[in-house]
Amino acid sequence: MFKLFSYLKSYPKMVVLAPLLMLLEVAMDLLQPRLIAMVVDQGIATGDLSLIMRIGLTMIGVAIIGMMAGVGCTIASSIASEGFAADLRTDLYRKVQSFSFANLDRFKTASLITRLTNDVLQVKNIVYMALRIVIRAPFMCIGGIIMAVLINARLALSLVVAIPLLVLALSIAIARGFPLFAIVQQKLDRVNEVIRENLSGVRVVKAFVRADFEKTRFAQANQELIEITVKASRMVALVLPIILLILNLSIVAVLWFGGIQINQGNMQVGQLIAFINYLTQILTSLLMVAFILMAVSRAKASADRINEVLESEVDIKDRTGADSSSITEGELRFENVSFRYQGAKGEPVLKNISFEAKPGETVAIIGATGAGKSTLINLIPRLYEPTAGRILIDGKDIKDLKLNTLRKSISVVLQESLLFSGSIYDNLKLGNQDASPEEVSQAARVAQADYFITSFPEGYQTQLGQKGVNLSGGQKQRLAIARALLKKSKILILDDSTSAVDVGTEARIQRGLRELMKQCTMIVIAQRISTVHQADKILVLDDGKIVAQGSSTELLKSCKIYQDIYTSQLGKGVI
Amino acid sequence: MFRPSSGHQGGSPRGLGGRGHMFKGPLPKTKDRKATLLRLWDYLKEQKLLLSWVFMLVVLSSVFGLAGPLLIGQAIDNYIIPGDFKGLLLIAIIMGVVYLLNALFSWLQSYIMIGVAQKTVYKMRTDLFSKIQTLPVSFFDRNPHGELMSRLTNDLENVSNTLNTSITQIMASLLMVVGTISVMLWLSPTLTLVCVMIIPAILLTTKKIAGFTRKYFAEQQQALGELNGFIEENISGQRVVKLFAREEKSIDQFAKYNGKLKKISQRAQVLAGLIHPLFNVLNNIIFALLVGVGGWLVLKELITIGIIASFINYLKQFFRPLSQLANQFNLLQSAIAGAERVFAVMDEKPEQDQPGNRTGPDRIRGEVALQHVSFGYQKETPVLKDISLRVKPGQTIALVGPTGAGKTTIVNLLTRFYEIDTGSILIDGQDIRSFSRNSLRSCLGIVLQDTYLFSDTVRENIRYGRLTATDQEVEAAARIANAEQFIKRLPQGYDTVLSDDGGNLSQGQRQLLTIARAVLADPAILILDEATSSVDTRTELQIQEAMLSLMQGRTSFVIAHRLSTIKNADLILVINDGEIIEQGSHQELLTRQGFYYELYNSQFTVNESA
């Protein structure tokens, strides 16, 4: 938590100013009871009306100074805390941008989003509060004690009883209530989970006619949530009455002992009134401290989550003195590459992979789910780092190339096509900012996307919703392909990126690609034989190993797995 | 999940972009607010008895709260100044009792109110969830899930918090303000007038500031929404950002949103923060006036010192509830807005069965007929046009055609996820609209294009197909679907808990599980919607065997790209642009040399080279 406070150092003036101004405001507040006592004991007692008026005016002056200090403090702490949040967010975002896929896997998208949005807000609120109240409360408390002692030290002994009692009551409430609220959060998460599942899975629930089952499931989660909420809230509801009781009882005690002292002539009535005021201030400021402590410990979880991101090691970085020359040929070679996911045990995902792809060649990869096809291609743009062996492009180890240039010269179309909100045109131009409208529509034509884009009333300017929600899977895939084509790179990788496109369209895309990418190295992952059979080389991947490689005709003769796949899709008669 | 968008392909994409706007209206009007409050009251009034207890306790604790400062003044004037210790002891004891009762009553009222509030929220949540179960699929397609989620969680939470504290607080604060003013008036009308003079100033400042802050907070909310939207989209698409080496550009864009939010938030925060010092200064000025005027009055012997002491305490009591009231009203407003959004969902039109058609088709033979069926997601753009077909029990039907031709739409209609516009669908000669939806769906087995798994164990996920199935039956189904192999390799086997919609499984594995689920359901009619498209070919070979035995004796509709599936089908329906343009067996269609023939040749060009 406190580590994050270092983000405040860009706002040194504000950070110093805010508490100082708060100090001034508190000092002014603390003066008020004293002045009231003066009115009662000196003004009224002596019948000096002009003194009363003078003190009254002083009080107004004091109040105005206090207000100005308060306003200044608000401004300073707002600037500092909002700046803090913005800087922290920027750093987090920067960090996430530098993450490798392995880093991203570890954090999960949803959790990263929460960290960047909600968690930052939580911590910001604490900083804002800290700059104002954390300073204010102790000042008020200590100042109040000093003033109380100054008025009457013996009466101040009442504080020795009241403060520990209050602290005890608060600590018990916090110690008991806190774990309860943690459980409330868990139960709430559970309720939300059931709801989320029912929203996303509505077709499944309906198809299996499980409404009643789901209602029971939900009722259980709901019931558990309510029970614990009631318990926790009732625990917290106990706090305020108890604190008020302690406060009020101490006032009674002060009245009693103060009365005795006044009677003995050791104290004046005005002083007693002032003392009661200070007592109230001390105890309420203690209460504030308690609430802040609660808020801080709640925000601590957020701070921890933020720190986890900021401190995580980025595992793929440019090597010092990395080669920034661009890739000219696109010749790709795997040499005994093995790979295992970070922290995973057991067999590696890829074992001893070696193959070669020459410029202009198409290499297809085929194999079972989980055989390691996607993992293999993720290694080429260094999204993951091989555990052993090396990958060479144009004869250079990719570890020696600058990440930026490496990725700029490789186009990858992922299995899941991710689009951004904005126009179709902007989405396509993500591939190449400098592409001309002609180039954009040419790429769209090759990807068989042009005809459906132009069928939209707004054509290329059609706005896409978040992640392209208003397109079908096949349409999204075709846009993703067009986007990758615009990148004009030497190596094109397609990871099962036509799975949602019907076979006829796919065939047309393939023909176009072959035409357009004559000089490029193409790596294609596919499930369909029709997609891969014309490749120059087919790699058959099984359980992380290349079990066979060669042309379709060769593999039909020699590879049992390939024969199986072939016949399953095209029928026995074909061979 | 089948995206309705695939069915919308021919239609206007803008219409789809406009999804989710149905809820976004202007802020609720006062009249609606009243109606919302009345509906909330409908929920609350079931616990009228407890609520009246709460009310009584609030009144009692307020009365005792008011008595405190009065007694302080009395103690000073009547006992401390004259030095009457017997009297002082008595009044001290009275004060002790009063404070004790005050604490007790205020604790009791929150104790009861918490129970009342949570019971109410429980009921609202249950009602809302039950309601959601009755809503048609089109509702969920129309509204973004994030938005609905927020209604079910944030908005209800809002209502819950408000019920928990705001109602009693508002009552208590109002009572306190009114009570304090009355007692003050009784003690000294002149001094009260001095204190009350400042109230218009307070109201004016609060109103002015509140007006500004509302505006700035709305702007802030907007900027925050934009930033969150950007973050969500870009972090989800992080892999693309990396692949296109666009990190720097993305950081620049982020900085723009972030900077905007920072500037607006600073302004909003400053304004909101002003309220406190302003209240404070008004408070302190009143103190000055109080002692000034009060001192003068004491000198004139119109009031006593004790009254000044009481006044100082009352003023403190007066300001706290006043600022609390302002706070609580803001909370209440947002809770009402929340409740309104909750009620909006409750008012949605549910899927309704025609009365008297509760019972479903028992012992289905599986004869399915479509008669002149037409349908469009939007009235203007028909997706299916005058479709007619007849399927005999046990037949396998392959639906073939380009993306967006309307294949998934047929599935949507068979399951009555959507209602046909004209024509009719018959099962065993009976219109499916004459069955209740539940009984209709009970006899259909559906494997959807997008798998959906629940965060539960693998075992329970499969059991979803038939809740009464034994563990042995579940495992048998998994074996038939060829899922057992990978399940056994999972850390806890069948008892492995799936998280995040089965995020810890591969797409193929998830599909195997949904197939196992359908196997367990043992339906009379089977619908497979491209379910095998991303299972690898070897696994699929195994699945196909299982599927073939599953399809035995059942009417099956299959949307598949596999030639072998298509070839094995009894009937191939070639759908293009919402119409059945060809139907027949593989051989028949080939000899016809039409659309299918072309499709076949473009798909399986491999034949020529092989």
Side-chain angles (χ1 to χ4, degrees), chain A residues 74-119:
Chain A
T74 300
I75 294 172
S77 42
S78 300
I79 291 176
S81 61
E82 293 301 335
F84 165 90
D87 294 352
L88 183 57
R89 257 193 305 255
T90 306
D91 255 30
L92 271 172
Y93 195 73
R94 227 172 239 292
K95 184 75 182 193
V96 173
Q97 293 299 322
S98 73
F99 272 2
S100 72
F101 274 30
N103 290 118
L104 289 174
D105 290 344
R106 202 164 56 244
F107 281 113
K108 289 226 167 81
T109 307
S111 132
L112 272 179
I113 293 169
T114 321
R115 286 168 211 241
L116 260 149
T117 53
N118 227 340
D119 287 340

Side-chain angles (χ1 to χ4, degrees), chain A residues 378-428:
Chain A
N378 277 340
L379 296 178
I380 304 172
R382 267 187 93 195
L383 299 171
Y384 295 95
E385 207 89 279
T387 328
R390 48 183 203 150
I391 301 166
L392 306 167
I393 293 180
D394 292 355
K396 289 179 224 164
D397 191 329
I398 56 169
K399 281 185 189 167
D400 296 329
L401 296 172
K402 251 189 149 49
L403 267 178
N404 213 320
T405 34
L406 172 71
R407 289 187 187 148
K408 276 195 172 140
S409 33
I410 299 173
S411 286
V412 184
V413 186
L414 293 173
Q415 208 166 8
E416 190 191 354
S417 27
L418 293 159
L419 300 173
F420 295 91
S421 51
S423 69
I424 289 182
Y425 189 72
D426 289 340
N427 262 289
L428 294 181

Side-chain angles (χ1 to χ4, degrees), chain A residues 99 197 214 277 369 569, chain B residues 1 242 316 455 464 536-537:
Chain A
F99 272 2
E197 287 180 348
E214 291 298 331
N277 269 316
T369 310
Q569 287 185 32
Chain B
M1 206 129 321
K242 291 205 99 59
K316 288 224 164 107
S455 50
Y464 207 79
D536 64 90
T537 34

